[in-house]
Amino acid sequence: MSHADSPVPVKARSGNTLTGRMCPPGDKSISHRALILGLLAIGETKVRGLLEGDDVLRTAAACRALGAQVTREADGAWRIAGAGIGGLHQPEQVLDFGNAGTGSRLMMGVAGSHPVTVTFDGDASLRKRPMGRILDPLTRMGVTVVDQAEGGRVPLTLKGPRETIPIRYETPVPSAQIKSAVLLAGLNAPGTVTVVENQASRDHTERMLRLFGAQVSVEPHGEAGRLITLAGQPELRGVELTVPADPSSAAFPIVAALITPGSDIVVESVMTNPLRTGLITTLMEMGADITLTNERENGGEVVADLRVRHSALRSVEVPPERAPAMIDEYPVLAVAAAFAEGETQMRGLHELRVKESDRLQAVSDGLAAAGVAHRIEGDDLIVCGDGSAPPGGGTAQTHLDHRIAMSFLVLGLAAPGGMAVDDGAMIATSFPDFVPAMRRLGAEILEG
Ligand code: S3P
């Protein structure tokens, strides 16, 4: 990828109110999974509302390399003619996942459990992210790590066993990517695979596996955990599904409207799976005026329209157990907290250190550039506001991280000095239409 060579500076200016309706793009987690299960199914899968961001397009390319036929129809629907479990092809080239942690990690479970040899690579951000957390359970399932960059990183090469070993695995951190890699590998194992989670993480893999015809049972485990059991070697059948709008992308217009005086917007068809709505819960505790209307089902998930109006926010303490339900939303919550009155304490953020960037550090540096008082205490972030807008006016370094870029542009929409980011190119990984969509609501965002 050439993003690092050609950064796209972007600026946001304050002064405009945000009004109108918008629909965020399809959920990234669900989009990856729809393509992957389409690859592993027999017959045809049709997906509407797929996120056409770079991360997901990389997964589509990997599915093709592994034997699926993946096409985009003129009406925007995607069709996947599956290769079936056990039917993957030996890819001819390296699978380059660009910036995509989810696509690469889930696909390690898929390809690693088949008798093929596959090399995974990515951009400078992905090359820094730990893959040992996926390689550990996969090795126990019989996968050979032929080669890896120092510290268990990509580029790495996996060779699948002739027969994948079914295991019981307790995830060391609450991570849907680890859980999903094990379950997806388990699809090609003769027997039962069990994943134990001490804290529940997003459950889209379990839900979608059922939709495609797998037998998956989910039981409570301890206070907040789950025990997930999958019967291996099912015959998955292609399905038709519609991807609901991504709550992690919805987070940006939602926070923008809350902090920009006079704003009143509706964000449509947002997935309200409780394992994804930690940010909405937190914002409501902070006094946000958010109303959920028109709740309905869409693609096996519940969605709702969210009306969001500018609100006076007050600080709260966000407990560590809420982190899995809002792990990608802390950067934009930190922005909301900068406009709130009091000290917002976000606890237990260690997983933020291994995202597309070290997000704890990147948020802290961006807040400093915007003139926001804050501190990091161990794994906690404390943001101090007085209920008025912070000055803004600086430039946030995005470190190839889409969510850092969008968060600080949102801050600039309501800070008197606006805010710049050094590089907005990565926004295309998850929310390619972010700038035009925000402009349609009235935001002033300038590229270049
Ligand atoms: C994701 C899981 C989360 C999240 C990521 C998407 C998924 O990562 O941060 O953006 O689709 O499974 P972890 O599993 O590392 O928490």
Side-chain angles (χ1 to χ4, degrees):
M1 299 235 302
S2 58
H3 292 97
D5 307 329
S6 52
V8 181
V10 190
K11 264 190 204 126
R13 289 210 187 117
S14 61
N16 297 358
T17 56
L18 304 182
T19 52
R21 303 176 76 86
M22 66 98 68
C23 184
D27 186 70
K28 183 149 76 75
S29 295
I30 293 189
S31 295
H32 283 300
R33 288 160 171 82
L35 291 168
I36 289 173
L37 291 190
L39 160 72
L40 294 172
I42 302 291
E44 193 174 272
T45 292
K46 184 168 180 179
V47 187
R48 290 195 182 80
L50 188 88
L51 166 64
E52 294 177 349
D54 192 64
D55 277 15
V56 174
L57 298 179
R58 301 279 179 157
T59 293
C63 288
R64 281 191 196 104
L66 288 164
Q69 280 173 37
V70 184
T71 46
R72 184 184 192 277
E73 308 279 288
D75 66 356
W78 286 69
R79 279 180 197 277
I80 305 115
I85 296 168
L88 299 194
H89 298 187
Q90 169 64 49
E92 283 164 16
Q93 68 274 44
V94 170
L95 302 187
D96 182 350
F97 281 93
N99 197 249
T102 305
S104 57
R105 288 176 170 147
L106 267 50
M107 212 49 121
M108 284 178 196
V110 171
S113 57
H114 282 73
V116 289
T117 302
V118 180
T119 301
F120 295 80
D121 202 357
D123 70 4
S125 156
L126 196 64
R127 282 181 172 207
K128 285 189 198 148
R129 300 182 68 183
M131 296 298 169
R133 52 177 57 198
I134 304 295
L135 303 182
D136 175 46
L138 290 186
T139 310
R140 296 191 203 186
M141 297 178 90
V143 180
T144 306
V145 183
V146 177
D147 206 3
Q148 58 184 300
E150 210 185 312
R153 292 178 161 60
V154 295
L156 65 81
T157 301
L158 301 183
K159 184 173 186 298
R162 239 175 303 149
E163 192 164 83
T164 302
I165 304 163
I167 59 168
R168 177 188 169 97
Y169 190 71
E170 184 173 327
T171 55
V173 287
S175 160
Q177 293 178 356
I178 303 176
K179 167 178 66 183
S180 301
V182 174
L183 292 175
L184 291 169
L187 285 173
N188 199 27
T192 300
V193 168
T194 303
V195 179
V196 184
E197 289 191 297
N198 292 313
Q199 253 184 290
S201 65
R202 65 189 69 192
D203 59 356
H204 309 305
T205 302
E206 298 89 304
R207 285 172 184 253
M208 207 183 286
L209 277 168
R210 284 207 194 107
L211 200 68
F212 277 77
Q215 268 183 38
V216 183
S217 76
V218 180
E219 290 162 41
H221 171 74
E223 265 183 28
R226 288 186 173 178
L227 196 134
I228 303 120
T229 310
L230 166 79
Q233 297 183 327
E235 191 174 292
L236 301 184
R237 292 176 309 275
V239 300
E240 283 201 19
L241 67 97
T242 302
V243 181
D246 195 329
S248 299
S249 296
F252 301 106
I254 290 171
V255 170
L258 288 174
I259 62 176
T260 307
S263 296
D264 185 352
I265 65 166
V266 175
V267 188
E268 293 171 354
S269 305
V270 180
M271 179 168 56
T272 54
N273 179 321
L275 292 167
R276 296 289 298 281
T277 48
L279 175 74
I280 303 295
T281 306
T282 305
L283 290 171
M284 285 179 162
E285 287 174 3
M286 294 171 81
D289 183 348
I290 302 177
T291 35
L292 274 71
T293 56
N294 195 16
E295 280 192 76
R296 58 210 184 268
E297 221 187 282
N298 186 353
E301 298 278 359
V302 176
V303 302
D305 299 337
L306 271 56
R307 180 168 182 197
V308 187
R309 281 177 275 196
H310 172 250
S311 308
L313 301 176
R314 53 181 180 272
S315 63
V316 287
E317 180 170 348
V318 189
E321 13 354 312
R322 198 175 290 164
M326 55 177 298
I327 192 67
D328 292 332
E329 282 67 79
Y330 284 102
V332 80
L333 176 62
V335 169
F339 291 75
E341 180 160 15
E343 285 198 0
T344 299
Q345 299 164 351
M346 299 166 229
R347 306 275 182 214
L349 307 188
H350 46 90
E351 275 295 296
L352 288 197
R353 298 235 183 242
V354 291
K355 294 297 175 187
E356 285 82 334
S357 65
D358 175 346
R359 276 192 184 149
L360 199 46
Q361 194 57 50
V363 167
S364 170
D365 294 345
L367 290 174
V372 179
H374 70 282
R375 56 187 190 278
I376 294 177
E377 287 174 2
D379 288 335
D380 301 341
L381 175 64
I382 293 120
V383 177
C384 316
D386 63 6
S388 63
T395 300
Q397 305 297 315
T398 55
H399 303 283
L400 299 177
D401 189 329
H402 53 133
R403 299 199 203 280
I404 296 296
M406 289 184 275
S407 296
F408 285 99
L409 289 171
V410 165
L411 185 146
L413 296 177
M419 194 72 191
V421 300
D422 66 331
D423 184 11
M426 283 300 155
I427 292 172
T429 61
S430 67
F431 197 161
D433 196 36
F434 172 75
V435 172
M438 294 303 292
R439 281 187 190 143
R440 286 194 291 274
L441 294 175
E444 191 176 350
I445 303 183
L446 314 158
E447 283 171 299

